[in-house]
Amino acid sequence: MVEQKVAALYHLVRVPDCEGLKSSLIAFCKGYNILGGLIVADEGLNGTVAGNVEGIDSFIAFLRSNPLFCDIDVKFSFSGKEDSPFHRLRVRIKPELITMGVRDLNLDDDHRGVYLNSYEWNDMIKDPDVVVLDVRNTYETEIGSFQRALDPKTEKFGEFPTYVEECLMGKRDKKVAMFCTGGIRCEKASAYLKERCGFQD
């Protein structure tokens, strides 16, 4: 049995030509029978696709040949089946990669949070002065979370800015350690806290 290789990916970067990127993604994926969903926005690329090993490896090489996506974050897995887990290819242009309702954030590296490895994370959340923030939605937080983590109880990411206004603005002098599922929520949330709300660390 030849399993389907699955690539979950995202990258925050200013995309000058969303239509052109969409067209090139569709053409490449059709050529290699790659199925799944991709979102293109002027703030980057996000999605999950599947195909045979050669196709997915070629697709990631194709993306990384573009200077915009040379260091794109990709997580690989295998479907356990010969058939694709997806029924079709869908590439859409949207206003945001993940909808927060806040446009034109500066998403450059120095405007987002600092990455921590697992050891650094464990040390960080032991500090009682650090605000530990769960940026996931309620259906995920109900499964489990870190001790002391604040749960915004958001049904969708678009509710996050309201939570910040109502519950976090008095903590701007504290370090914030945040976590999410795939990474992209933390990327946008940390940029929002730093750029729009005055958080420093």
Side-chain angles (χ1 to χ4, degrees):
M1 182 178 72
V2 179
E3 293 180 286
Q4 290 272 300
K5 188 171 184 177
V6 181
L9 55 92
Y10 78 88
H11 190 63
L12 295 171
V13 65
R14 289 297 171 202
V15 176
D17 180 9
C18 291
E19 288 289 351
L21 177 59
K22 175 183 175 179
S23 297
S24 67
L25 291 171
I26 290 172
F28 192 95
C29 288
K30 285 186 174 179
Y32 281 86
N33 196 29
I34 293 170
L35 304 179
L38 294 167
I39 296 171
V40 176
D42 58 13
E43 63 184 21
L45 177 66
N46 184 26
T48 304
V49 292
N52 62 35
V53 172
E54 178 191 1
I56 292 298
D57 290 348
S58 297
F59 178 64
I60 300 307
F62 165 72
L63 283 179
R64 288 181 171 153
S65 70
N66 183 330
L68 292 176
F69 303 108
C70 60
D71 55 353
I72 191 168
D73 182 46
V74 186
K75 295 178 177 67
F76 296 107
S77 60
F78 287 88
S79 68
K81 298 179 180 179
E82 292 183 34
D83 297 331
S84 176
F86 303 107
H87 299 297
R88 60 178 174 165
L89 174 68
R90 189 174 186 187
V91 183
R92 294 177 290 168
I93 296 175
K94 297 181 72 173
E96 298 178 76
L97 292 182
I98 182 166
T99 304
M100 181 194 259
V102 179
R103 299 287 305 278
D104 300 321
L105 282 173
N106 188 331
L107 298 171
D108 293 341
D109 288 345
D110 57 350
H111 285 82
R112 303 198 301 263
V114 177
Y115 283 96
L116 302 178
N117 64 36
S118 58
Y119 300 103
E120 293 168 328
W121 172 261
N122 286 340
D123 288 340
M124 178 71 69
I125 64 175
K126 288 175 185 175
D127 185 342
D129 289 328
V130 170
V131 176
V132 183
L133 182 59
D134 193 334
V135 193
R136 300 171 301 159
N137 288 340
T138 51
Y139 73 91
E140 296 169 296
T141 61
E142 287 170 355
I143 295 170
S145 191
F146 287 96
Q147 291 182 354
R148 294 197 310 108
L150 299 178
D151 179 2
K153 300 190 184 304
T154 53
E155 296 291 334
K156 55 186 179 180
F157 195 43
E159 298 168 6
F160 182 74
T162 300
Y163 169 78
V164 173
E165 277 297 319
E166 294 178 353
C167 303
L168 281 188
M169 294 303 283
K171 304 179 188 295
R172 282 178 289 186
D173 60 329
K174 294 183 178 294
K175 290 183 179 180
V176 178
M178 67 172 62
F179 61 96
C180 55
T181 305
I184 192 168
R185 286 173 186 264
C186 290
E187 300 265 24
K188 288 198 72 172
S190 62
Y192 176 73
L193 290 181
K194 292 182 73 174
E195 183 181 338
R196 302 291 171 89
C197 303
F199 286 78
Q200 298 299 315
D201 196 351

